[in-house]
Amino acid sequence: MRVGLITSDPGHPLLDLTTALLAPGHQVEVLDPRAPLPVPGPLADVYLLKARTPPALALARHLEQRHARVVNSAAATALCQDRTSMAALALSAGLPFAGTRTFTTLARLASGPALSRPAVVKSRHSRRHDVVARVDTPAQLRDLAAAHPDEPVVVQDFAPNDGWDYKLWAIGDQLFAGLRRSELSPQGRGPTRSLRLDDLPPGWPALVHRVGEVFSLDVYGVDIVDGGDGAPLIVDINAFPGIRGQSGAPEALAALALSRAA
């Protein structure tokens, strides 16, 4: 079978190891999303959409219009890039997602009524090096707005927690889990510690599978904080994250690619 990788970084550890598993019996091709359209020649049996840039989404849509199988779909990937749409869908589906308010720009947020409680301010559009900051005071908000005045943002009330983010990843039906200090922590994020699924609070694995169903995702990540006594609060959902250092992840991705290609 022929498997296409939509990425500008084919050396990414997850993709590199997956390619090594597939290569003995299958053909793996790299499509750089920066290359001009249309894609020449016959289509691959399946494409893995690892990149999430506008050109990558345009390439995925082009392939889908030609009836190619793309994992994840362009529509599902784009939905996870817009935190406003993400929150709306999650909350409408009854998922325990953080309440989210949208502002056209950070400058507009800072010029409005003062925030009534500590909040997390994030870029509306998820991307590399986007804005994610905890704001406790009006002065902090003014400083953030001065640095990024025209950035569209969302605001989530800060949920008291133990300072750790639970990183849960899904590749098809297979789940992986890790624990990492929150990027809002003064100590910095630090390394991710792998967790056994048995170490998660009850119901969390089923919640991750439900996220995949709601968002029509095959490869995705769910960021959860423990709101107390194992009560999950979803703060972000990512299409096709890196899933670095998780034993069995390349094997799961190779198997998923072949199953979708069949």
Side-chain angles (χ1 to χ4, degrees):
M1 291 185 178
R2 293 172 56 219
V3 178
L5 306 179
I6 303 176
T7 179
S8 56
D9 182 19
H12 183 285
L14 177 62
L15 297 183
D16 191 43
L17 292 169
T18 300
T19 297
L21 291 168
L22 291 170
H26 307 277
Q27 183 177 346
V28 180
E29 308 164 356
V30 176
L31 278 74
D32 191 324
R34 297 167 295 190
L37 296 175
V39 175
L43 297 177
D45 297 291
V46 68
Y47 293 90
L48 303 181
L49 177 56
K50 179 65 179 75
R52 292 169 284 183
T53 61
L57 292 174
L59 172 56
R61 292 188 185 99
H62 163 74
L63 293 169
E64 289 170 344
Q65 288 168 359
R66 294 174 60 187
H67 307 292
R69 297 181 181 89
V70 180
V71 177
N72 301 291
S73 72
T77 301
L79 177 61
C80 290
Q81 299 304 101
D82 183 344
R83 289 187 169 109
T84 298
S85 299
M86 178 198 305
L89 176 58
L91 292 168
S92 69
L95 296 172
F97 197 92
T100 301
R101 308 184 302 281
T102 303
F103 293 84
T104 53
T105 65
L106 245 173
R108 186 178 186 122
L109 169 62
S111 66
L115 298 175
S116 60
R117 63 186 68 181
V120 179
V121 178
K122 302 178 180 180
S123 295
R124 172 173 178 171
H125 303 290
S126 175
R127 63 192 187 280
R128 189 181 297 275
H129 306 307
D130 58 2
V131 173
V132 179
R134 176 175 170 174
V135 173
D136 291 342
T137 67
Q140 289 176 332
L141 181 56
R142 288 193 297 269
D143 290 344
L144 189 64
H148 310 276
D150 299 323
E151 181 75 11
V153 294
V154 298
V155 176
Q156 298 172 343
D157 289 338
F158 177 76
N161 60 84
D162 60 5
W164 294 88
D165 288 343
Y166 288 82
K167 314 289 290 187
L168 281 78
W169 302 282
I171 301 178
D173 293 331
Q174 195 160 340
L175 299 185
F176 306 86
L179 190 64
R180 185 168 63 190
R181 191 172 291 282
S182 169
E183 62 187 308
L184 305 174
S185 170
Q187 294 93 339
R189 302 181 76 166
T192 300
R193 295 167 20 198
S194 292
L195 287 177
R196 298 182 310 156
L197 296 181
D198 289 344
D199 293 332
L200 295 172
W204 284 28
L207 174 62
V208 175
H209 286 306
R210 176 62 179 152
V211 168
E213 294 171 358
V214 169
F215 282 81
S216 301
L217 293 166
D218 286 306
V219 185
Y220 58 99
V222 183
D223 293 351
I224 299 177
V225 297
D226 187 341
D229 297 324
L233 181 68
I234 300 173
V235 295
D236 220 343
I237 299 167
N238 302 288
F240 220 127
I243 320 181
R244 297 174 184 266
Q246 295 298 307
S247 177
E251 290 82 358
L253 185 57
L256 176 69
L258 295 180
S259 70
R260 293 295 184 269

